[in-house]
Amino acid sequence: MEDPILSSSSSPYELLFHALSLIPLRHYLIALFFLWCVFFYNFVEFHFLGDIVLKYFRCNVNLTYHPDSPLYHGLVSRCRILHGRYVATPWLASPHLQTCFLNFHGLPPVFSYRRQLFRISDGGTIALDWLTNSDVLDGAAVHDQKEITKEDTTPIAVIIPGLTSDSSSPYLKHLAYGTAKTGWNVVISNHRGLGGVSVTSDCFYNAGYTEDIRVVLGYLQQKYPMAPLFAIGTSIGANILVKYLGEEGEKTPLRGAVAICSPWDLLIGDRFICRKFKQKLYDRALTIGLQGYAQLHEPQYSRLANWEGIKKSRSIRDFDNHATCHVGKFETVDTFYRKSSSTQYVGNVAVPLLCISALDDPLCTKEAIPWDECRANKNIVLATTKHGGHLAFFEGLTGSSLWWVRASNEFLGALSCSRYMHIQKIQERSTSASEKQEPSINEGPYLNIAEDGLVAAVKYEQGTNTTPSEEATLPSNQSGLKPENGVKKRSFNELCRQTKRSIWWLGYIGVIAGFPVLGLLINYLFRKKQRPPSNS
């Protein structure tokens, strides 16, 4: 008997529907799950399969540097991690998964900081969170309350956080703990209004504000003159660091620095973060964080900025338009982005600088990386990886460590033991003792302002007759000698090197100018000897 459905009068669509109805439901569920996996794999930009197949071709670290760079040939060429490969944690093989996991959990080590509140001359307050090498013993963080002395020669790593980040952020805990484990002392310079500290002045930080880090470094240099200073900037903190290095040039007290995932050009970054749906999600998330920061300091923002516009902001650009431009006195948002971008300062960097960026960074696009500028500066080495996300770079099966933390520690450790460290050029000062300003005796730290405008955080030390303003002009010493003897010896050597050519010129001029006088003297003596004796 002929099936009525399969008769010649049945339409093709009826036949197709009948055929599909014969397929079991579980097969549809399997196909739907497979399609969802393919969509999810592409949407979050998974690269797990690519890492397995092309591990030895796609995971190399690419280094960009000047062909004649002594920093690379003498130091970075020996760094094993920078010449190795970065392979992401298999279950986090996606820039978006890495970035989100880092911000929501990140598996940070457990420890506590020692807090120091630092007051700035304009009335602002910065929280300095310390983690010393003595605080970290046998894999566990302990506190023996051992203070850092003025004669301590242990290197100090100053960390500059990213946007709306403070010392409690997971990636900063990874960095602080890993650096302290290598034998260093670490201090995180939290931005104003972050780290649980109120804003105590009308000045707020922004992506290009370098004055805070300048004052903090001056204070640390004066208080710990024997300890070499290094800096690590992350995200917006990296932009601030590179901009500061370009502004200071040879005058910075830093011996070396590392910039991690810098946005480089804020104008390009602004265009990028509004381009695709995924980037708009990040933009919205960061805006919510900025609005939360503004709500903590509503009295100041409501008085200095457009508070209603801040509450209605839907993007970082909106927030900068209603808040940053008003507080920072910028004409437009684009003006703020142009003036605050660190790209234009790369050529002036005079200290050894390692820059690390991921090409798949979902927040800081690779389009903004200044490849040519980094290649033209002999003091910079740029390390880029194909994957890593934003400040993530999880590695290992458990994802308990960050690759860039190990790479930074290796670079700074090698730099601190090498001859490639930067030596600060101290400008000559001619100030009399009567003109020096004596700081008021308050609870330290406090500020001393010299005549040339140098702002240095100072503190009187017991058992010395040297004033803080005099100590601020002395160069730091690395030789391990006693502070006063080492500083005097080094100052004399630097003076000899700087005035060597001038001394030779003065000697030459003196000899030439002295010949006529010498001739007159010889002529006078000769005539006196030849003069006949007078008859009495």
Side-chain angles (χ1 to χ4, degrees):
M1 182 178 180
E2 185 179 1
D3 192 341
I5 299 179
L6 298 179
S7 62
S8 57
S9 60
S10 301
S11 67
Y13 294 103
E14 292 179 350
L15 297 175
L16 179 61
F17 178 78
H18 177 70
L20 293 175
S21 64
L22 298 177
I23 300 176
L25 179 61
R26 65 177 181 273
H27 292 182
Y28 285 105
L29 296 177
I30 294 174
L32 183 62
F33 177 76
F34 176 77
L35 293 176
W36 181 86
C37 290
V38 172
F39 169 79
F40 182 76
Y41 188 93
N42 287 275
F43 181 79
V44 301
E45 300 177 34
F46 244 110
H47 49 82
F48 173 70
L49 296 179
D51 290 349
I52 294 178
V53 179
L54 303 174
K55 175 181 178 180
Y56 294 97
F57 300 96
R58 296 175 51 179
C59 299
N60 291 329
V61 180
N62 181 40
L63 299 177
T64 303
Y65 53 90
H66 191 282
D68 299 326
S69 171
L71 175 64
Y72 174 80
H73 295 289
L75 180 69
V76 178
S77 60
R78 303 175 184 177
C79 293
R80 179 182 56 84
I81 298 176
L82 291 175
H83 282 80
R85 297 179 177 85
Y86 166 66
V87 181
T89 300
W91 49 279
L92 289 174
S94 160
H96 306 291
L97 291 183
Q98 288 211 48
T99 303
C100 293
F101 181 77
L102 176 66
N103 286 274
F104 287 106
H105 192 276
L107 299 176
V110 180
F111 61 89
S112 58
Y113 299 98
R114 302 181 189 179
R115 170 150 293 187
Q116 174 188 0
L117 295 181
F118 179 69
R119 298 280 295 194
I120 306 179
S121 59
D122 63 1
T125 305
I126 295 178
L128 300 179
D129 289 330
W130 288 86
L131 183 68
T132 64
N133 174 245
S134 60
D135 295 333
V136 183
L137 299 174
D138 300 327
V142 298
H143 286 282
D144 57 4
Q145 301 301 322
K146 181 180 179 182
E147 298 294 335
I148 305 175
T149 63
K150 194 171 184 178
E151 293 77 19
D152 196 343
T153 59
T154 304
I156 297 177
V158 183
I159 299 176
I160 309 173
L163 186 68
T164 67
S165 297
D166 56 22
S167 57
S168 63
S169 300
Y171 72 91
L172 291 179
K173 284 193 170 184
H174 277 284
L175 177 58
Y177 189 82
T179 306
K181 285 284 289 184
T182 61
W184 287 37
N185 295 327
V186 180
V187 55
I188 299 179
S189 178
N190 294 283
H191 298 299
R192 301 187 185 212
L194 290 173
V197 178
S198 301
V199 173
T200 56
S201 69
D202 289 344
C203 182
F204 289 83
Y205 85 98
N206 58 56
Y209 190 71
T210 58
E211 190 59 30
D212 284 350
I213 188 61
R214 183 176 290 107
V215 174
V216 169
L217 290 176
Y219 159 72
L220 295 175
Q221 181 191 28
Q222 191 279 330
K223 188 172 184 180
Y224 309 107
M226 303 293 291
L229 297 178
F230 299 83
I232 304 175
T234 58
S235 190
I236 288 297
N239 185 79
I240 295 174
L241 174 61
V242 175
K243 183 173 181 286
Y244 159 79
L245 293 176
E247 292 173 346
E248 292 296 298
E250 296 281 357
K251 298 183 295 182
T252 177
L254 291 176
R255 301 302 187 91
V258 179
I260 309 296
C261 295
S262 174
W264 297 109
D265 193 314
L266 302 180
L267 197 58
I268 295 178
D270 173 65
R271 305 294 191 265
F272 169 77
I273 206 169
C274 301
R275 186 179 302 169
K276 297 181 180 179
F277 173 73
K278 287 177 285 189
Q279 273 66 48
K280 291 181 179 180
L281 294 179
Y282 288 108
D283 189 14
R284 182 60 183 145
L286 291 174
T287 304
I288 294 175
L290 289 171
Q291 288 175 324
Y293 170 78
Q295 289 177 356
L296 294 175
H297 314 292
E298 181 178 352
Q300 290 86 353
Y301 270 115
S302 60
R303 178 168 48 87
L304 301 172
N306 181 4
W307 181 248
E308 291 300 323
I310 292 176
K311 293 192 297 182
K312 297 178 180 179
S313 297
R314 292 296 178 265
S315 65
I316 298 177
R317 186 180 183 86
D318 290 342
F319 182 88
D320 289 334
N321 182 40
H322 298 297
T324 309
C325 288
H326 287 269
V327 177
K329 309 300 181 185
F330 294 99
E331 296 84 357
T332 64
V333 179
D334 284 355
T335 302
F336 162 60
Y337 289 157
R338 289 190 180 95
K339 291 184 177 181
S340 301
S341 298
S342 60
T343 303
Q344 56 189 322
Y345 297 91
V346 172
N348 297 328
V349 173
V351 306
L353 174 64
L354 173 66
C355 305
I356 298 178
S357 294
L359 299 183
D360 64 351
D361 192 321
L363 295 177
C364 302
T365 173
K366 61 183 179 181
E367 300 171 10
I369 298 178
W371 303 92
D372 293 340
E373 289 83 351
C374 292
R375 190 180 291 108
N377 192 327
K378 295 183 179 180
N379 299 308
I380 298 178
V381 173
L382 172 64
T384 55
T385 60
K386 188 175 182 61
H387 305 297
H390 186 69
L391 297 174
F393 295 84
F394 285 100
E395 60 181 355
L397 293 177
T398 60
S400 58
S401 63
L402 307 183
W403 175 86
W404 65 267
V405 172
R406 294 196 303 116
S408 300
N409 290 336
E410 180 189 43
F411 171 78
L412 293 179
L415 179 62
S416 64
C417 302
S418 71
R419 59 184 178 88
Y420 300 99
M421 285 194 301
H422 170 258
I423 303 298
Q424 181 183 16
K425 290 187 177 180
I426 306 296
Q427 293 181 341
E428 296 182 0
R429 299 182 177 91
S430 57
T431 55
S432 60
S434 61
E435 295 174 339
K436 292 176 182 177
Q437 299 178 358
E438 295 294 337
S440 59
I441 302 177
N442 295 320
E443 293 183 0
Y446 49 88
L447 295 176
N448 179 49
I449 305 177
E451 289 185 351
D452 58 357
L454 176 65
V455 180
V458 298
K459 182 179 180 180
Y460 279 119
E461 301 291 341
Q462 296 180 355
T464 178
N465 295 326
T466 307
T467 62
S469 58
E470 290 174 334
E471 292 180 1
T473 63
L474 298 177
S476 59
N477 184 27
Q478 297 297 322
S479 61
L481 301 174
K482 293 182 179 180
E484 57 274 9
N485 295 336
V487 170
K488 290 178 181 178
K489 181 176 180 181
R490 179 172 176 182
S491 299
F492 177 76
N493 292 336
E494 290 183 355
L495 180 62
C496 291
R497 287 195 300 268
Q498 294 173 2
T499 61
K500 184 176 181 181
R501 181 174 298 180
S502 300
I503 292 175
W504 280 108
W505 274 107
L506 289 175
Y508 174 76
I509 295 173
V511 171
I512 297 301
F515 267 120
V517 179
L518 181 62
L520 292 174
L521 180 61
I522 294 174
N523 186 38
Y524 172 76
L525 295 176
F526 180 76
R527 285 186 176 183
K528 186 177 181 181
K529 184 179 293 186
Q530 296 296 331
R531 183 179 303 171
S534 60
N535 295 327
S536 55

